[in-house]
Amino acid sequence: MSTLFIHIKELLQTREKAELKVMGKSMSELPHIKNAFLRINGDTIHSFGPMDELVVEDSDEVIDVTGKIILPTWCDSHSHVVYAGDRSQEFVDRINGLSYEDIAAKGGGILNSAQTLQNTSESALYQQSIKRVNELVKLGTGALEIKSGYGLTTDAELKMLRVIKKIKENSAIKIKATFLGAHAIPKKHSDNKKEYLDLIINHMLPEIHKEQLADFVDVFCEKGYFSLEDTEQVLNAAAKYDLIPKIHVNQFNAFGGVALGVKHKALSVDHLEVLNNEDIEALKNTDTIPVALPGCSFFLGIPYTPARPLIDSGLPLALATDFNPGSAPSGNMNFIVSLACIKMKMSPEEAINAATINGAFAMNASKEYGSISIGKKASIIITKELTSYRQIPYHFGNNPIYKVMINGVFVE
Ligand code: NIG
Ligand code: FE
C-alpha cells in the first residue's frame, strides 16, 4: 500500500539519507521543495520531488495537501516523561519566591518525585506515562528518549526502565531508554554518597544489563548532585556494558562536565545554560553534540543555552524538551522551536534542523529519523495551511499541526 501526497506547499528537510547531523553555518540551510510530492511505501519514504516530476502509479492513495507543509516529525532527545504524580505544589512555591535549589534543599524536587514513584505500581506508572507519550505524538514527536532517575533504588529504577521498555513495545514512535540512576542522592544515602554510587555500579547496572533495559547512561553532573569524579566512576562502569553517555552538565555551574563528556565519547552533553569558552573548545572536532533545553530555562527563569556562540563556532546543536515534573513540565516540541527562535536567537531554519535531524543524531536515530530522505521512516507532520514554515515558530503557543503520520500510519 502506498500513500502519495501531492501539491505540498513546502516539503521541508529533504536530504540524502547519509547526512546524519548539521553543524555551524549549515544549520541555517533548511533544504526544501516547493509544490512537492511525497510517496510513502509501507512505513518508509519511497520518493519525493517537485510536482512536475511526478508519475502517478495505480496503487497510490492520493492525498492533496494544497496549502500545507510537510516536515519530518520532531525528535526529542531528552525527556523524563515517565514519572508519577506531579509537582504543581512546587510550581506554586516558586511563584511565591522559593528557588528550584531551595525546594531541592528542603527535600522536594527530584526526591519528591522519587517518593511518589516508590508508592506507584508499575502498571499505574505505565498508564500515566503512556498517556503523556500519546499526547506528545499528536504534537508531532516521532522519536523520544526517556530517562529513568526518579527511582533511586534498584527496584524503582528497574520499574521505571521496564515501563520505558513497555512504552517502546506499545508506542509506534521510536523510543530510546536512558539509565539515570545518578540523578540525585537519595535521603537514605545522604551521608554516604559512596554507598549510593556502589549501588548504581554494582547492583543497578548489572541488573539493567541482564534485562537489556537501557541504550544510554546519564548522570546529573552538578554541584550538590554528582561531581566530576562521581560522574567518571559511573561512566566507566557503564562503559563495561556498552552504555553510551548522554549527560546533564552545566545547568547551574560550569566545572568541566563538558570536557569530561567529550573524554568519555558522550553522544550528547545536555543543558549548558552556563557555558564558557573552554566548554566550546572541548566540543570542537568531536562527535559529541550539545543539546539545549529551552523549556527548562523558560519554566525556571534561568539563562538560556547560548546558541549563537555554539553555532557560530561551527558546532552542531540539538533542541529537546527535558519534559519532567520539576523543571520543564511540557513536552511540546513546537513550543521549544518557538522558544529557540525567540529567546536563543536561532533562525527558524536552525531551530527546525536542531529539532529534527540533530535531535535524531542526539539519540542515535538519525539513520532512520530526522529528515525526508529515501529509505527513512515515514514519520511526518502535515501542518495546517501556513504561508511558510516560518509561521511554525512565529505563532508561539499555537498548534501548527493538521495531522501526524508515524511509520506510514496516520495518528488518530
Ligand atoms: O533535566 N537537572 C536534572 N534533572 C531534570 C530535572 C528533574 C526534576 O526537577 O525533576 C532536568 O532539569
Ligand atoms: Fe533532564
Side-chain angles (χ1 to χ4, degrees), residues 78 80 147 248 271 293 322 324:
H78 182 140
H80 309 251
K147 300 175 194 295
H248 283 74
H271 271 288
L293 310 167
D322 196 18
N324 75 74

Side-chain angles (χ1 to χ4, degrees), residues 296 361 394:
C296 174
F361 183 86
Y394 169 72

Side-chain angles (χ1 to χ4, degrees), residues 111 151-153 181 184-191 196 199 204 226:
L111 296 183
L152 310 182
T153 62
I185 298 135
K187 261 191 218 113
K188 193 176 156 201
H189 306 281
S190 58
D191 297 330
Y196 185 57
L199 190 68
M204 295 186 193
F226 296 91

Side-chain angles (χ1 to χ4, degrees), residues 78-80 83 87 90 100 104 108-111 113-114 147 149-150 180 183 218-222 225 248-249 251-252 270-271 273 293 296 300 302 321-328:
H78 182 140
S79 94
H80 309 251
Y83 61 84
R87 306 228 300 271
E90 293 181 4
Y100 182 75
I110 296 168
L111 296 183
S113 287
K147 300 175 194 295
Y150 292 124
L180 176 57
H183 195 192
D218 194 347
V219 176
F220 187 17
C221 181
E222 184 57 64
Y225 294 82
H248 283 74
V249 291
Q251 183 174 4
F252 300 105
D270 304 30
H271 271 288
E273 288 89 341
L293 310 167
C296 174
L300 294 187
I302 62 174
T321 63
D322 196 18
F323 191 178
N324 75 74
S327 70

